């Protein structure tokens, strides 16, 4: 059973605008959440993370929001740049459990 | 600092053959993980080593898959005999011993396995 879901397989956004990627999870034991970015023929690269004790974490143009009651998190990219075009994976892990559970990914295309 | 490396980058084999994938983690990383992505779906966990010990192999699909990490350095993942459904991209990742709540894993570029 898939415990992390990214229901939007793709997102197209104009350069300079905001990209919002969504992720839902079902396992209430998850306490750490990560976003990874993946270019073709490369491995996923860590982007940003958030612990369950927080509801927001910001790093430059990237902000992750966590809503524990809704079991939902989102990644905001502002402003979007052409180099942001990639597949974005949401991932989660539970306390004392090192394995990551991933969503299926969202392909972001930033239009010039 | 060198990242996680994987060999080969691509492998095409016939059903019933054997394939061995190799992963070299980042130096000093005790944790090593194998994941697999099939047909553009989610990336699925296979197993986790801490040094040379298997910490969690709950994601291994069946006994055709054998992972080793002799000496706690590089790891191999052998598929014998390979079946059509084993096709996919196999990723290796590594991380340091994590403080509670911190679990950033560094991924290699993956090995694309095609079973014909």
């Amino acid at each position: 059973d898939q415990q992390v879901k990214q229901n939007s397989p793709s997102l197209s956004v104009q350069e300079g605008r905001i990209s919002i990627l969504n992720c839902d999870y079902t396992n209430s034991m998850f306490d750490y959440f990560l976003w990874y970015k993946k270019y073709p023929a490369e491995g996923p690269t860590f982007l940003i993370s958030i612990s369950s004790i927080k509801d927001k974490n910001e790093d430059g143009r990237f902000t992750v929001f966590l809503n524990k009651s809704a079991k939902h998190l989102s990644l905001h990219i502002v402003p979007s740049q052409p180099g942001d075009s990639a597949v974005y994976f949401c991932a989660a892990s539970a306390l004392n459990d090192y394995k990551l559970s991933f969503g299926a990914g969202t392909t972001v295309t930033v239009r010039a | 600092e060198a990242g996680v490396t994987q060999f080969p980058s691509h492998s095409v084999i016939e059903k019933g053959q054997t394939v061995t994938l190799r992963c070299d983690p980042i130096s000093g990383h005790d944790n090593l993980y194998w994941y697999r992505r099939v047909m553009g779906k989610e990336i699925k966990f296979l197993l986790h080593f801490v040094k040379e010990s298997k910490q969690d192999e709950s994601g291994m699909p069946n006994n055709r898959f054998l992972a080793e990490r002799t000496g706690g350095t590089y790891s191999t993942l052998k598929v014998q005999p390979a079946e059509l459904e084993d096709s996919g991209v196999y990723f290796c990742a590594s991380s340091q011993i994590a403080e509670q709540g911190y679990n950033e894993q560094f991924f290699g570029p993956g090995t694309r396995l095609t079973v014909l």
Side-chain angles (χ1 to χ4, degrees), chain A residues 11-110:
Chain A
L11 172 69
S12 180
V13 63
Q14 193 164 9
E15 181 178 3
R17 305 296 290 268
I18 184 171
S19 294
I20 299 177
L21 291 80
N22 294 302
C23 176
D24 297 291
Y25 62 95
T26 58
N27 189 341
S28 58
M29 299 301 290
F30 286 152
D31 73 331
Y32 193 70
F33 304 88
L34 310 90
W35 284 93
Y36 279 82
K37 175 179 178 180
K38 183 184 176 310
Y39 292 119
E42 295 184 7
T45 301
F46 172 75
L47 191 58
I48 191 169
S49 63
I50 188 167
S51 165
S52 61
I53 63 173
K54 297 184 177 181
D55 55 18
K56 176 183 175 181
N57 187 27
E58 188 173 353
D59 184 1
R61 298 185 297 113
F62 303 92
T63 302
V64 56
F65 296 91
L66 175 62
N67 182 334
K68 289 191 294 292
S69 61
K71 294 190 176 68
H72 177 84
L73 64 156
S74 61
L75 174 68
H76 292 205
I77 307 173
V78 183
S80 300
Q81 300 175 353
D84 296 331
S85 296
V87 180
Y88 290 78
F89 290 97
C90 173
S93 66
L95 182 65
N96 296 326
D97 187 358
Y98 285 37
K99 67 177 177 283
L100 295 178
S101 296
F102 283 86
T106 296
T107 301
V108 173
T109 303
V110 180

Side-chain angles (χ1 to χ4, degrees), chain A residues 2 32 34 36 38 41-44 46 89 93 95 97-100 102-104, chain B residues 31 33 35 37 42-43 45 48 56 91 98 100-105 107-109:
Chain A
Q2 194 173 348
Y32 193 70
L34 310 90
Y36 279 82
K38 183 184 176 310
E42 295 184 7
F46 172 75
F89 290 97
S93 66
L95 182 65
D97 187 358
Y98 285 37
K99 67 177 177 283
L100 295 178
F102 283 86
Chain B
N31 292 286
Y33 314 81
Y35 292 86
R37 188 181 190 209
E42 73 272 21
I43 300 171
F45 168 81
H48 169 211
D56 180 354
F91 291 106
Q100 185 170 341
Y102 180 76
N103 188 16
E104 179 186 342
Q105 298 178 17
F107 281 76

